Amino acid sequence: MTKYLISFPSEAMVLTAEEFPIVSADARAVIEEAKAAGVYVFAGGIEEQVDPVLVSGDGSVSAQTYPGSRLKGGFTVLELPTREDAVEWARKIAVACRCAQELREFMYDPAS
């Protein structure tokens, strides 16, 4: 099976304070559904209050990122038999989160 990344940038989720707990519950329900279906690998959100760092090939650390890097928001990794299945799960997450989701496929890794 193939692993898929389903994600969104934080600015895509525009919610009122009243909507947030409802959307959170709906998103958690989809994650629980994925776990029950046996396709869940990992999910989470990037902690945007903690600045990223760049660790260079020589081991040095600097307070920067790659130019153009903008990793933030939420993501889910699922392992699924087909791209069509991945699109369906992305649809479920989009509905729950009330925002569009990007779908990407991980390259095959025989060791994972």
Side-chain angles (χ1 to χ4, degrees):
M1 288 207 290
T2 303
K3 291 181 180 73
Y4 293 90
L5 173 68
I6 302 168
S7 64
F8 64 94
S10 55
E11 62 269 10
M13 188 180 274
V14 180
L15 303 170
T16 65
E18 294 79 25
E19 293 170 315
F20 192 79
I22 297 164
V23 170
S24 294
D26 289 350
R28 280 192 300 277
V30 174
I31 293 302
E32 291 305 317
E33 181 183 353
K35 288 178 179 179
V39 299
Y40 177 85
V41 176
F42 184 79
I46 301 296
E47 176 54 75
E48 295 178 32
Q49 302 303 314
V50 178
D51 292 331
V53 297
L54 185 67
V55 181
S56 298
D58 64 5
S60 62
V61 179
S62 60
Q64 61 185 31
T65 59
Y66 279 112
S69 176
R70 59 176 195 88
L71 181 60
K72 56 184 179 176
F75 60 92
T76 304
V77 178
L78 301 178
E79 190 167 26
L80 300 159
T82 68
R83 185 168 181 84
E84 291 77 19
D85 291 325
V87 168
E88 179 59 23
W89 281 100
R91 184 196 64 74
K92 291 178 183 186
I93 294 170
V95 169
C97 292
R98 284 35 166 215
C99 66
Q101 303 290 307
E102 290 183 353
L103 176 63
R104 298 178 188 267
E105 186 173 316
F106 284 96
M107 293 176 13
Y108 176 71
D109 177 4
S112 66

